[in-house]
Amino acid sequence: MSKVVEISPTTRHEGHSKLVLKVNDEGIVERGDWLSITPVRGVEKLAIGKTMEQVPKIASRVCGICPIAHTLAGIEAMEASIGCEIPEDAKLLRYILQCANRMHSHAIHNILSLPDMYIPGTDVKINPFTKEEPVRSVALRIQRLREIGQTIGEIVGGEAIHPSNPRVGGMYKNITPRAKAKLYDLAKESRVLAQEQMEFMIAVFRNYQNRDWSEVGGVEVPITKDLGYHNQGYMATAPVYGSSSLDETPMWFPDRFTEVRPWDWYMGEVEIDEADPNYPIGGTTPVGNKAWPQMEACTGVPLYDGQPVEVGPRARLVQFKNYDEKGAMGLQIARQMEFPETAYGIIDALDALDTSGSVLADEIPQGDGSFGWAANEAPRGTDVHMAKVKDGRVEYFGMLVPTTWNFPTCSRALTGAPWRLAEVIMRAYDPCVSCATHMLVIDEDKRLVAQKLIQ
Amino acid sequence: MLFREIVIAGCGNPLFADDGFGPAVVEELQKLQLPDNVKVIDAGLGAPHFLFTLMEDAEVPVKKLIIIDTADFGANPGDVTKLRPEDLPPGTYRDAHSWDLSEPLQRLKDVIDITIIGCQPKRVASHEFELGLTEEVEGAIPKTVRIVLEEIGVEYGATINHQGTHLWASPGETTGDAGENPGEKV
């Protein structure tokens, strides 16, 4: 007789999502549904009628975590639609941006997933904010990698968070020779740090794999050897950057993509009949509440060749480097393996970059309404933007973001795992649930806390 | 450098009507010539994630952080208030991305002087995107710029003259250069 547990909201990732889990008497997940509960915002509609310059800027604001990926995918979708080839030096600058973004994203994900892990050889969980060694120096290394990634992103992209330098047709400005020298220094420093960080993190994940149990909310939970396994496919368009419909050999095919409604995918209405008030951060949903995933899920379910697929670091390594390790830890380790590559990628691109080269196309066509797409290999996976531009205005715009691809795949990967480890599996995917609302609220009753009202 | 001694971060999302207040103020500040130890950042949606968790161990130590954001404090739209991190009970800075990760402001406030300048929004579109600030909140931009300049000890009269604009004579009268500043020279 299966019971239903709900973890809502899920934590230590980006955005709002929840897990609805049907579990057996041993607490093993028989069916798991992982779904976004962030409302659909309708950016695709907002884009219609705007200029092709505006829309990528708008797209970069739909998410505070992947603004670089969204900016680049949005711009390149416009370029694909209008048939605009950009100069080589502009491509190199974008490549550097991509690597810097990935370096930062992977580093911060380490902070998100480390609290599930143990200091190797001990039963001590890692608190990345502790001031005590040996964790303190690891935390400092993570912070330095993040700082380097962001600084490089700022120098090349113009701004650290929402990059202003990339534009339809290339980049607004090339970098100066002094900036290039600075970037070399930063990349070389990060190369060493990234290698050390990769080795440390892989040791931590291997240690978790070899453990028999993990403590969650005061309960010792056995770690299954096939934690987070699934039999779905993988999708990636490039080891580092991405692909667009302008490529001679495009790596993504719109015809292979279909989408079904949440109604056709997620489970129907269920009643919560198991709960654990001691589960971290507020306990699971109390018994007696209802959940209705097929009504509550706020994203469609994208399929590739009729199946959900995994995107992200492992997908890239499977497609391009013969990587074959499955499971949640296999995915985590794949992410770490991408670390050094980000620094080497920046150095290689700098070697090739001519700082006096033009970074803007000689001619920027205004578009005839042709369909174009660009798939950017964002840190969390393939971020596909699609566009039709006519006379400089956007007639159609669509976004297929990484976590949308990963929702149904990860849901499958939950089967067979102890339900208390479902979040460990989910976090391995580094979810970036599209989210946007951002506001200060003083307290629930709108009580005025600050008396220093000005004017 | 990612940070300087004084960091001014405009937070919020221009896709949600008045929630774009922070980035709009930053756009104005970027038109001004500010001292070298000041850095103005359009933090958009990523401030806690990209900035606040980094400041504690930054290469250049941050001494003062000014956050500009919308704040629902029950006043009239466009009213502006100054807050200290202590005014915010833990967890009420509702940033869906990473606030629950570490509550970075609560940790930072012991090592960095933090001021939050909050503007009461009139309308924050919560379900659908809506571009553009309301008139009331647009009108709060000049006085917020003034408050920021006071906070960092800049004689704004001189700054205005230097730029030759009438930035805060009335809303919408700005004539400074656009804030595009890509390819930072280092």
Side-chain angles (χ1 to χ4, degrees):
Chain A
M1 182 65 192
S2 59
K3 293 186 168 182
V4 177
V5 187
E6 182 188 78
I7 302 169
S8 176
T10 48
T11 55
R12 271 195 280 120
H13 59 82
E14 326 302 349
H16 287 163
S17 74
K18 73 157 134 177
L19 287 158
V20 182
L21 309 164
K22 276 188 181 162
V23 303
N24 67 15
D25 292 337
E26 282 77 49
I28 301 296
V29 176
E30 292 175 338
R31 178 192 168 129
D33 275 4
W34 177 42
L35 49 139
S36 164
I37 47 177
T38 306
V40 174
R41 311 293 197 182
V43 66
E44 282 87 352
K45 290 277 176 276
L46 187 80
I48 292 171
K50 302 283 188 301
T51 67
M52 61 178 170
E53 293 286 356
Q54 277 176 307
V55 170
K57 304 281 178 200
I58 292 173
S60 97
R61 298 278 179 177
V62 301
C63 172
I65 310 300
C66 324
I68 288 180
H70 284 316
T71 303
L72 296 178
I75 286 173
E76 289 178 13
M78 304 302 149
E79 289 166 351
S81 171
I82 61 177
C84 178
E85 290 277 0
I86 67 167
E88 192 60 27
D89 288 316
K91 281 186 197 164
L92 290 167
L93 289 177
R94 290 184 186 179
Y95 191 90
I96 294 170
L97 264 182
Q98 176 86 343
C99 290
N101 184 213
R102 188 175 293 177
M103 183 189 293
H104 177 272
S105 183
H106 284 4
I108 199 161
H109 182 249
N110 287 350
I111 297 180
L112 297 169
S113 48
L114 275 176
D116 289 326
M117 302 294 138
Y118 294 82
I119 296 172
T122 72
D123 285 343
V124 179
K125 273 200 177 171
I126 297 174
N127 168 11
F129 298 107
T130 182
K131 299 282 184 197
E132 288 169 25
E133 293 294 356
V135 179
R136 171 70 175 158
S137 45
V138 173
L140 284 174
R141 187 165 64 210
I142 292 173
Q143 296 298 71
R144 182 62 187 146
L145 279 166
R146 294 182 56 213
E147 194 175 15
I148 291 173
Q150 281 229 70
T151 307
I152 293 175
E154 182 180 36
I155 292 171
V156 177
E159 282 177 63
I161 298 178
H162 293 283
S164 54
N165 198 17
R167 56 161 290 170
V168 175
M171 304 287 275
Y172 279 100
K173 284 183 184 172
N174 203 332
I175 56 170
T176 62
R178 277 191 71 197
K180 181 173 168 173
K182 173 82 178 169
L183 293 176
Y184 263 126
D185 288 347
L186 290 167
K188 283 176 183 166
E189 185 188 345
S190 67
R191 185 188 63 81
V192 178
L193 296 176
Q195 181 75 27
E196 288 171 1
Q197 185 61 15
M198 172 186 77
E199 287 170 7
F200 170 79
M201 291 302 295
I202 290 178
V204 165
F205 293 127
R206 288 276 178 242
N207 172 71
Y208 189 85
Q209 267 179 326
N210 293 329
R211 291 175 58 85
D212 296 324
W213 55 268
S214 176
E215 180 272 329
V216 183
V219 179
E220 278 191 11
V221 187
I223 300 173
T224 48
K225 292 300 162 199
D226 56 356
L227 187 74
Y229 277 44
H230 68 73
N231 285 319
Q232 303 304 127
Y234 298 97
M235 185 179 83
T237 61
V240 178
Y241 194 81
S243 177
S244 91
S245 50
L246 287 179
D247 290 350
E248 263 178 42
T249 319
M251 294 296 287
W252 190 80
F253 301 93
D255 298 343
R256 292 169 69 180
F257 153 71
T258 49
E259 194 171 30
V260 296
R261 297 170 305 161
W263 185 266
D264 301 319
W265 184 263
Y266 290 107
M267 60 177 109
E269 191 174 18
V270 287
E271 187 171 319
I272 314 301
D273 45 16
E274 179 148 321
D276 179 359
N278 297 320
Y279 187 82
I281 321 195
T284 63
T285 305
V287 170
N289 284 279
K290 297 257 178 27
W292 197 346
Q294 60 185 192
M295 286 292 283
E296 293 167 312
C298 289
T299 54
V301 177
L303 309 174
Y304 205 60
D305 297 335
Q307 284 287 319
V309 288
E310 180 186 322
V311 298
R314 174 165 53 199
R316 292 190 281 263
L317 264 57
V318 168
Q319 299 273 79
F320 299 103
K321 308 224 166 141
N322 291 329
Y323 185 77
D324 65 354
E325 186 163 349
K326 298 177 77 172
M329 294 307 117
L331 174 50
Q332 291 277 23
I333 287 164
R335 181 171 296 109
Q336 311 315 316
M337 288 170 67
E338 286 194 331
F339 243 132
E341 203 178 353
T342 59
Y344 285 113
I346 291 167
I347 292 169
D348 289 347
L350 284 170
D351 283 340
L353 179 74
D354 174 5
T355 52
S356 54
S358 165
V359 289
L360 192 59
D362 293 334
E363 192 197 338
I364 301 172
Q366 293 301 296
D368 58 5
S370 300
F371 176 76
W373 57 263
N376 183 283
E377 283 300 324
R380 289 91 194 277
T382 314
D383 180 23
V384 184
H385 288 207
M386 300 167 282
K388 287 181 185 173
V389 180
K390 191 174 184 195
D391 301 327
R393 300 259 163 198
V394 174
E395 290 189 327
Y396 162 79
F397 181 63
M399 297 168 79
L400 278 166
V401 303
T403 303
T404 312
W405 291 103
N406 278 338
F407 273 122
T409 310
C410 176
S411 296
R412 290 269 168 94
L414 297 168
T415 309
W419 73 261
R420 284 183 177 83
L421 298 184
E423 277 195 288
V424 175
I425 298 170
M426 174 212 67
R427 278 194 277 270
Y429 286 80
D430 192 7
C432 192
V433 184
S434 65
C435 123
T437 186
H438 179 104
M439 197 170 140
L440 265 159
V441 176
I442 304 308
D443 70 11
E444 296 302 317
D445 308 321
K446 296 192 176 176
R447 184 169 55 88
L448 178 64
V449 179
Q451 298 298 331
K452 259 194 299 181
L453 192 65
I454 300 162
Q455 295 182 5
Chain B
M1 286 304 128
L2 193 55
F3 297 120
R4 298 203 184 111
E5 261 181 23
I6 300 174
V7 173
I8 303 165
C11 303
N13 193 350
L15 299 186
F16 285 127
D18 286 340
D19 196 31
F21 176 71
V25 172
V26 160
E27 204 175 308
E28 291 303 308
L29 286 168
Q30 281 171 340
K31 294 171 185 171
L32 305 177
Q33 193 165 39
L34 297 172
D36 287 343
N37 67 342
V38 177
K39 175 120 179 191
V40 183
I41 301 176
D42 175 355
L45 306 177
H49 192 97
F50 284 102
L51 303 177
F52 302 159
T53 54
L54 266 182
M55 286 182 174
E56 208 175 359
D57 303 310
E59 200 179 15
V60 175
V62 179
K63 291 185 179 158
K64 188 175 180 67
L65 167 64
I66 300 172
I67 298 168
I68 303 158
D69 203 344
T70 47
D72 188 350
F73 54 97
N76 294 320
D79 282 349
V80 173
T81 187
K82 257 198 258 185
L83 305 164
R84 296 263 143 203
E86 293 77 13
D87 298 331
L88 308 176
T92 52
Y93 190 92
R94 285 197 320 177
D95 179 78
H97 285 300
S98 59
W99 187 243
D100 58 349
L101 165 64
S102 57
E103 304 209 10
L105 286 189
Q106 297 298 331
R107 292 191 304 119
L108 275 183
K109 69 179 165 44
D110 300 329
V111 282
I112 297 173
D113 172 27
I114 304 176
T115 302
I116 300 159
I117 301 177
C119 175
Q120 179 71 40
K122 182 177 187 186
R123 187 168 63 251
V124 174
S126 59
H127 288 297
E128 288 183 358
F129 290 139
E130 181 184 325
L131 289 169
L133 303 176
T134 59
E135 203 177 314
E136 290 88 336
V137 170
E138 181 99 42
I141 294 173
K143 68 185 170 199
T144 309
V145 169
R146 226 165 32 227
I147 295 162
V148 170
L149 295 179
E150 269 168 30
E151 275 288 321
I152 62 175
V154 170
E155 176 54 63
Y156 55 84
T159 318
I160 297 167
N161 289 339
H162 180 85
Q163 290 291 315
T165 67
H166 302 279
L167 189 55
W168 24 100
S170 68
E173 268 193 44
T174 57
T175 55
D177 287 330
E180 297 285 3
N181 184 28
E184 190 198 44
K185 309 290 184 294
V186 290

